[in-house]
Amino acid sequence: MIGALLSFTTVWWSVKKVPELPLTDEERQRIAAAPKGVGATLAEIVDAIKHMPPTMRKLWWMKLFQWYGMMCYWIYIVPALAKTMFATTDAQSAGFRDASLLNGQIGGFYNFVAFLAAFAMLPFVRRWGPKAVHATCLLAAALGMWMLPTIQDKALLFLPMIGIGLAWASIMGNPYVLLAGSIPPERAGVYMGIFNMFIVIPMLIQMVTLPLIYHSVLGGQPDNVIRLAGVLLACAAVAVLRVPTAASK
């Protein structure tokens, strides 16, 4: 209820306080003359995909690895902690409940790290660019996820959360910085919509494909899924380094 209240009030505050740039007469005429309806909207999306800028095409691969990996972490971190910290796989056991509570603590910590890092990384982005910073943060999270299954001391669990928090802060901003300079302003709306699909589609792929390899490849072990998440985030770091930017074109 508190979260819902904060969500509502922050949206209301933005609507009331953030000014919109007024449209010119030429822009109003162009909008009025544009085709309307579902068919026109779908045609616009298809055309935008066909003419997608190279930077955005490359960002797809980074987003695929990134969000597939994060979904693996979010879904399997509690079973992994239950196994490695409390030696249980029984979802009805006290150890499993303790693992869930422990995940709440470390999850809160990495979100706090992300809150601080979102401000602290700004000078680094200005100096080295969003691509290098995002790759570094993803590698920090990958290292943290590889460490997690080996840790049996509760206090030490907070160490890998620093890397995951850095990555979460970067995920929320740097990919959009990379995208912003590559899309034509007049099609910003449709490309932002497609870019948000780059989040949802990897999640759907993960939910469909991971059960197919969970037993055959990962041995039915939740800690192996966390290791896989680390590998995928490392792949995302490599993928983002291959994204062309305005300076490299």
Side-chain angles (χ1 to χ4, degrees):
M1 291 175 67
I2 293 172
L5 178 62
L6 290 173
S7 180
F8 175 82
T9 52
T10 50
V11 170
W12 175 84
W13 182 265
S14 298
V15 170
K16 296 290 289 185
K17 297 297 183 179
V18 177
E20 288 190 65
L21 297 176
L23 296 173
T24 65
D25 291 338
E26 181 182 349
E27 289 170 331
R28 293 180 185 278
Q29 291 172 6
R30 186 173 67 249
I31 293 172
K36 305 294 192 298
V38 175
T41 300
L42 293 176
E44 169 72 7
I45 294 172
V46 171
D47 185 71
I49 293 172
K50 286 181 180 178
H51 299 94
M52 190 181 298
T55 294
M56 190 170 176
R57 290 185 183 276
K58 291 283 188 178
L59 282 170
W60 156 253
W61 296 105
M62 180 273 290
K63 299 277 273 188
L64 174 63
F65 293 128
Q66 173 181 282
W67 288 108
Y68 198 118
M70 291 305 297
M71 281 290 285
C72 287
Y73 172 80
W74 288 326
I75 294 173
Y76 285 89
I77 183 59
V78 171
L81 290 174
K83 180 190 173 188
T84 60
M85 298 293 297
F86 301 98
T88 183
T89 57
D90 181 4
Q92 304 302 319
S93 66
F96 207 94
R97 291 191 294 272
D98 289 342
S100 180
L101 293 172
L102 180 58
N103 179 57
Q105 295 173 354
I106 63 175
F109 179 73
Y110 89 67
N111 277 282
F112 178 70
V113 170
F115 171 76
L116 297 178
F119 297 100
M121 71 174 56
L122 287 174
F124 297 97
V125 173
R126 292 192 184 102
R127 181 168 182 178
W128 288 295
K131 188 162 65 171
V133 171
H134 192 50
T136 302
C137 291
L138 289 174
L139 286 175
L143 178 61
M145 290 187 186
W146 291 332
M147 290 172 58
L148 272 171
T150 68
I151 296 174
Q152 295 184 333
D153 185 328
K154 291 181 182 180
L156 292 179
L157 282 175
F158 291 90
L159 183 60
M161 291 302 111
I162 296 174
I164 295 173
L166 290 173
W168 189 234
S170 186
I171 286 170
M172 292 295 100
N174 284 318
Y176 294 92
V177 177
L178 288 167
L179 175 71
S182 70
I183 57 177
E186 66 274 9
R187 305 191 83 171
V190 66
Y191 278 127
M192 280 296 181
I194 294 172
F195 200 59
N196 284 331
M197 291 166 61
F198 286 6
I199 300 173
V200 178
I201 293 173
M203 290 181 173
L204 294 174
I205 293 173
Q206 190 271 353
M207 287 188 287
V208 171
T209 60
L210 191 69
L212 302 178
I213 64 171
Y214 182 64
H215 291 284
S216 60
V217 177
L218 301 173
Q221 302 299 318
D223 49 321
N224 285 337
V225 182
I226 303 302
R227 293 184 177 95
L228 172 63
V231 171
L232 291 169
L233 290 182
C235 291
V238 174
V240 76
L241 290 176
R242 297 174 59 84
V243 173
T245 58
S248 61
K249 291 178 183 176

